[in-house]
């Protein structure tokens, strides 16, 4: 090893999956120091992003079972595999754990407003978040009745500050009050270890989904008048750098739509437009879903229609379809259908086929998680953090408590 230049060793190691790197930390003190260095961690993450899905897992959040988090090895999805129960630090007996976002190998998990944290499933390091010290709005002055109330949020990366941030938005709407919409937005910085109040959201968040993270911002489909069916749908982003909300322009030829959703594919923001063929008081049937991608964030002209998925004869009609990630070759896109199935869509043949997954999960939501060494800075000393990595195995989780 002494004959090999250090930069060559670093380059070779930075191309390996996290599981191998965690083992190689035991080879020598110099290798351990290299792998633990911030420069190497960032280089390894960039190599993972350049080599799509080489070290990627899907986390499945089952809707029914109490032990509700499972994982799938993405590289093995060409063959039949069974979801594996995922041991995580917030597991408890009283209900399912929610997955509120995933970014650069870190996952935001939550049981409730008082019990949540950020977790790296690859290294098993966990950081519990402090309670968000804010009072969700209850009733605007003059409002009568319960109104509409909701709490939404998300998780993303602020590249300018090299910081991971958790967002919580509490909203209450009363059409007969003034103001009719009361909203409060709080952002937690993992680097600083504090919650901070930012700009109040001036829109009503329509979708139950957590924010789609792309271009250093979290995005939602919103409206200005939630009580009015004719109120236009607006795409907005919360800039994680300065905490401000900004409208994002739609594609030029998008047209009107009553059904739109968001997704992230290959780090690009995607807009999913559903075309209805029939509707009644109970449900609707889609004719097709168009997947639009903003290839250069913030540039309206960079929107392109990536592909469309149409209902096929002889197949179960879908009501919901979401792109998850590209295949290893980049020639196919993995789709989640109605929270029940995975499909492969071929970009070349424009055709669908079922992904081979067994295990009996009736309904689920899927979250992409990249294998990474990204640390959870703050909230504990470096010795405890590295001890968590060294004791890593498939059944052990380590909690690093915050020292505020």
């Amino acid at each position: 090893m002494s004959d090999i230049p250090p930069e060559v060793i670093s380059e070779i190691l930075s191309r390996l999956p996290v599981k191998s790197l965690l083992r190689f930390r035991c080879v020598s003190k110099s290798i351990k120091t290299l792998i633990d260095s911030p420069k190497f961690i960032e280089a390894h993450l960039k190599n993972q992003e350049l080599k799509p899905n080489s070290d990627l897992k899907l986390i499945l959040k089952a809707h029914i079972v109490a032990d509700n988090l499972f994982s799938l090895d993405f590289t093995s999805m060409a063959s039949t595999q069974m979801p594996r129960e995922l041991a995580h630090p917030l597991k408890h007996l009283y209900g399912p754990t929610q997955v509120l976002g995933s970014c650069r190998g870190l996952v935001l998990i939550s049981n409730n407003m008082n019990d949540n944290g950020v977790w790296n499933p690859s290294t098993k390091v966990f950081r519990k978040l402090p309670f968000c010290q804010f009072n969700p709005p209850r009733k605007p002055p003059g409002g009568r009745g319960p109104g509409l109330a909701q709490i939404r949020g998300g998780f993303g990366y602020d590249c300018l500050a090299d910081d991971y941030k958790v967002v919580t938005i509490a909203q209450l709407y009363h059409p007969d009050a003034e103001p009719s919409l009361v909203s409060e937005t709080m952002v937690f910085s993992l680097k600083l270890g504090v919650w901070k109040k930012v700009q109040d959201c001036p829109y009503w968040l329509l979708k139950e989904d957590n924010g789609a993270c792309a271009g250093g911002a979290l995005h939602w489909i919103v409206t200005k008048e939630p009580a009015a069916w004719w109120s236009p749908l607006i795409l907005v982003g919360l800039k994680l750098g300065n905490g401000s909300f900004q409208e994002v322009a739609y594609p030029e030829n998008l047209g009107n739509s009553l059904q739109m959703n968001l997704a992230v594919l290959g780090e690009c923001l995607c807009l999913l437009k559903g075309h209805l063929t029939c509707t009644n008081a109970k449900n609707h049937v889609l004719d097709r879903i168009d997947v639009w991608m903003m290839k250069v964030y913030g540039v309206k002209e960079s929107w392109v229609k990536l592909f469309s998925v149409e209902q096929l004869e002889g197949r179960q009609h879908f009501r919901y379809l979401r792109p998850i990630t590209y295949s290893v070759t980049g020639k196919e896109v993995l789709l989640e259908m109605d929270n029940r199935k995975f499909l492969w869509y071929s970009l070349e043949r424009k055709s669908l086929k079922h992904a081979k997954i067994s295990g009996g999960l009736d309904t689920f939501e899927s979250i992409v998680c990249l294998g990474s060494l990204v640390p959870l800075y703050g909230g504990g000393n470096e010795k405890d953090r590295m001890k968590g990595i060294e004791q890593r195995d498939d059944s052990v989780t380590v909690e690093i408590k915050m020292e505020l």
Side-chain angles (χ1 to χ4, degrees), residues 65-91:
V65 296
D67 297 332
N68 70 312
L69 295 188
F70 299 82
S71 68
L72 287 172
D73 185 359
F74 181 79
T75 57
S76 300
M77 290 193 69
S79 57
T80 302
Q81 62 172 311
M82 181 176 294
R84 180 173 58 87
E85 184 179 337
L86 192 61
H88 61 89
L90 289 188
K91 186 175 180 179

Side-chain angles (χ1 to χ4, degrees), residues 18 44-45 48 55 104-106 120 122-123 370-374:
V18 173
H44 175 263
L45 186 61
Q48 294 300 308
D55 189 11
R104 290 164 59 97
L106 301 182
N120 186 326
S122 298
T123 63
L370 179 68
S372 80
L373 296 165
V374 172

Side-chain angles (χ1 to χ4, degrees), residues 111-132:
N111 290 329
N112 52 58
M113 289 288 291
N114 300 322
D115 189 16
N116 49 62
V118 179
W119 181 44
N120 186 326
S122 298
T123 63
K124 304 299 184 186
V125 177
F126 174 73
R127 178 172 174 182
K128 188 174 178 64
L129 299 185
F131 178 69
C132 182

